[in-house]
Amino acid sequence: MTGEQAPIQAAEEAASDMVVEDHKRGPTRNVGSILRRKDVIAWCFYDWANSAYVTSIIVVVLPVYFLSLVPEKGPTVVQLGRLRFETSGLALWGYFTAAYMLAAGLASPILGAIADHLGRRKAFLGVCIVVGSVLTCALVFVTDGRYMLCGVLFVVSAFLWSCGNLFYDSLLPGLTRDELEMDAISSAGYAIGYLGGGLLLAINLAMVSKPGWFGLADTGAATRAVFVTVGVWWALFSIPVLRQVAEPARESRKAGRVNPLTEGLRRLAGTMRRLRQFRQPARLLVAFVFYNTGIGTVIVVAAAYGKDELDIKPAALIGCILMIQFVGFPATFGFIRLAKWVGTVGAIVFGLLMYVAVVLLAFYMKTTVHFWVLGFLVALVQGGTQALSRSLFGSMIPLNRSAEFFGFFSIFNKVGSFAGPLWFALAKDITGSSRLAILFLLTFFVVGLVVLLTVDVKEGKSIAANST
């Protein structure tokens, strides 16, 4: 069994009994068979490729390395031309993170519209992969004191990683327009991403803690080597999606004779004017921005919350992150079956109710064991909830505008990245308590649930089908 076949075998087994009634296609069909197609396997493995960037670059290794580059004593002085200001290393990392999120959020719908117009989603994805992975590898040259170079390389590579996800997601509706099959494919991608990201993170943490095992001089050299492994991993496992997944045909032969930027902006403006026609996916986006803000904030503040309230040791925090990655792998496949039993919306609702329970339990958390239990509960629902949200949205948008619509999806995702941590921080300052602040996150899940239940999926699919 090859490296690609082993993880996807779990997906086939998870979905193998999903045989349902379908009067248009015949009495029964096996949804699990869709996961045996080469193009579907290739598409899923891009999640395996890019999840390593999240775990090692965004979440664990690079943030710690960046802070080690910043002078420990006194404020950090940043000089941008004539502009000079003082800040802290942690705040500076926050600014760099916000910069890539803001840039990606603003650029995503425009780039998506251009890619749709040219019919070149894979080409745009390829550029993001090649340049992004090279810049990630270039972090190996960042040594003592060069924290500004580190920040710039991170911002540009993270921007490309984020935009690459947009073009990757936009290929999903072209693999199938069937809801159950799309749920299975999207969930398989998220699940395999958990496994890939967790596997490389485990290797990377071993490199940093035991550099001698890998023939590396010290922790600094090992950390810089980690960045090379992430860039190579991202590029190497992206080859299947670029080779095997078909590029949807471009909309018009006139595409080559029109300025792509002008046409992309025109299409974007047209879609914004016609959002009333696509009111169901638009309504889903409103629900998504609320509940995904809650999900994202739980991810971002979990470590700080555990440290602040329980003084959890770094080793325990890292161990919990690894546990979430590996538990999330089978748990996300479980959402394929759950969606079959209760429907896609029903499965998402179940995931959000679990998050409500997690937030309530977090308020009463008292030990490291409690923290790990909550991490386990999050691992059970995080990937499945996000995967089904992606597939549900994909089932209600016109195929020839998929990159453009997923550009809007990306914007709403980035809004949550800003709003959630800000809401938590304000609540912490107002109440003076992290425990009370965590309860404020219930707002996002409750509002998201209420709006989600108003989405008419059948109407959304019908309009999308007639617009393709």
Side-chain angles (χ1 to χ4, degrees), residues 312 315-317 319-320 323 367-377:
I312 297 176
L317 291 172
C320 189
M323 180 271 292
T367 68
T368 299
V369 173
H370 293 162
F371 185 83
W372 273 67
V373 170
L374 292 181
F376 180 80
L377 293 178

Side-chain angles (χ1 to χ4, degrees), residues 103-185:
L106 294 174
S108 290
I110 299 173
L111 292 175
I114 294 173
D116 283 337
H117 167 64
L118 296 175
R120 301 295 300 276
R121 299 176 184 89
K122 283 176 58 179
F124 277 62
L125 174 59
V127 170
C128 291
I129 292 168
V130 172
V131 181
S133 60
V134 168
L135 292 177
T136 302
C137 290
L139 286 165
V140 72
F141 299 111
V142 176
T143 53
D144 293 347
R146 306 179 74 180
Y147 57 89
M148 289 301 294
L149 174 61
C150 180
V152 171
L153 289 174
F154 166 69
V155 168
V156 181
S157 64
F159 169 80
L160 293 167
W161 168 82
S162 183
C163 291
N165 288 341
L166 147 68
F167 302 119
Y168 162 64
D169 289 343
S170 72
L171 297 172
L172 174 60
L175 296 173
T176 179
R177 297 300 288 177
D178 178 272
E179 181 183 358
L180 283 175
E181 291 180 348
M182 199 176 296
D183 286 346
I185 296 170

Side-chain angles (χ1 to χ4, degrees), residues 311-327:
D311 195 25
I312 297 176
K313 303 304 180 185
L317 291 172
I318 293 173
C320 189
I321 292 172
L322 283 172
M323 180 271 292
I324 290 173
Q325 295 298 122
F326 291 110
V327 172

